Amino acid sequence: MASVPQLLAEPLIRDVPDFPKPGILFKDITPVLQSPAAFQEAVGLLAADAKKHGAECIVGIESRGFIFGTPIALELGLPFSMARKFGKLPYERISEEYALEYGTNIVEMHMDAVDPGQRVYIVDDLLATGGTAAASARLVERLGGHVCGMGFLVELGFLEGRKNLLGYQVDSLIQF
Ligand code: AMP
């Protein structure tokens, strides 16, 4: 995928050490959202990638995946669905648990979030270990959808999240 000159030209991904806990270097994407040109460029590039993969539905992962996923869906004229944290969705839903460094997390989707056979492009702000995206892909597949691609603004390559996403088309705009 093409790089994002606007994003690379400026330090728009801010390092915040020891957040949310000691030892974690948090990649804060809020400066991207505060730059309309960079935000628009990032959405445009991810939308182009989703289109290239023939997406028929965009799934955003809570919560920053919603910020990037919704404008992509609107730009392409596609439905948008949410993969949410445990206990947030009101309607009938399915759940997938995945491992964290310590403990587990659960991600959920509504039963009708994806149509059987639909080509689904999954969006999040950042790919770290890939656990969240892999669990979201399992949800889409249990609903009968086909994961045609995944798009991230940032990828922490040293965490090798792609190893958790073997078999999927994974793209990211900025790699660290
Ligand atoms: P993972 O499941 O390990 O790929 O984690 C991905 C999710 O956690 C994404 O929704 C990210 O927003 C968030 N995340 C994980 N690590 C970081 C980090 N170092 N900086 C910012 N967000 C992170």
Side-chain angles (χ1 to χ4, degrees):
M1 182 191 289
S3 61
V4 189
Q6 180 78 24
L7 294 174
L8 295 175
E10 300 173 45
L12 290 182
I13 308 295
R14 179 164 54 198
D15 283 350
V16 183
D18 299 321
F19 183 87
K21 50 187 177 184
I24 303 286
L25 182 63
F26 193 85
K27 295 288 184 185
D28 176 21
I29 56 88
T30 59
V32 173
L33 308 179
Q34 291 172 279
S35 164
F39 189 16
Q40 195 161 38
E41 192 166 20
V43 168
L45 285 167
L46 290 171
D49 192 56
K51 190 173 181 178
K52 186 180 85 186
H53 292 303
E56 297 169 321
C57 173
I58 305 296
V59 165
I61 300 176
E62 184 167 4
S63 57
R64 289 178 295 276
F66 298 169
I67 297 171
F68 291 95
T70 45
I72 291 168
L74 286 173
E75 186 164 321
L76 297 177
L78 296 178
F80 176 80
S81 287
M82 298 185 278
R84 295 209 69 176
K85 290 166 187 158
F86 177 78
K88 300 281 188 183
L89 286 171
Y91 184 60
E92 287 177 47
R93 59 202 169 271
I94 57 169
S95 310
E96 276 287 334
E97 193 170 290
Y98 60 97
L100 298 172
E101 195 179 352
Y102 299 103
T104 59
N105 233 349
I106 293 175
V107 66
E108 299 187 319
M109 286 178 72
H110 275 162
M111 295 296 294
D112 61 356
V114 166
D115 292 336
Q118 200 169 36
R119 295 178 67 82
V120 176
Y121 187 83
I122 295 177
V123 177
D124 204 355
D125 68 323
L126 185 139
L127 172 61
T129 66
T132 317
S136 302
R138 290 198 297 276
L139 288 174
V140 168
E141 287 162 356
R142 281 173 59 194
L143 294 173
H146 170 72
V147 179
C148 65
M150 299 181 178
F152 303 88
L153 183 72
V154 177
E155 176 177 358
L156 303 183
F158 58 90
L159 292 177
E160 301 187 320
R162 283 174 190 256
K163 285 191 178 167
N164 259 328
L165 302 173
L166 292 177
Y168 297 110
Q169 300 285 325
V170 178
D171 283 296
S172 61
L173 301 183
I174 304 169
Q175 298 82 29
F176 291 100

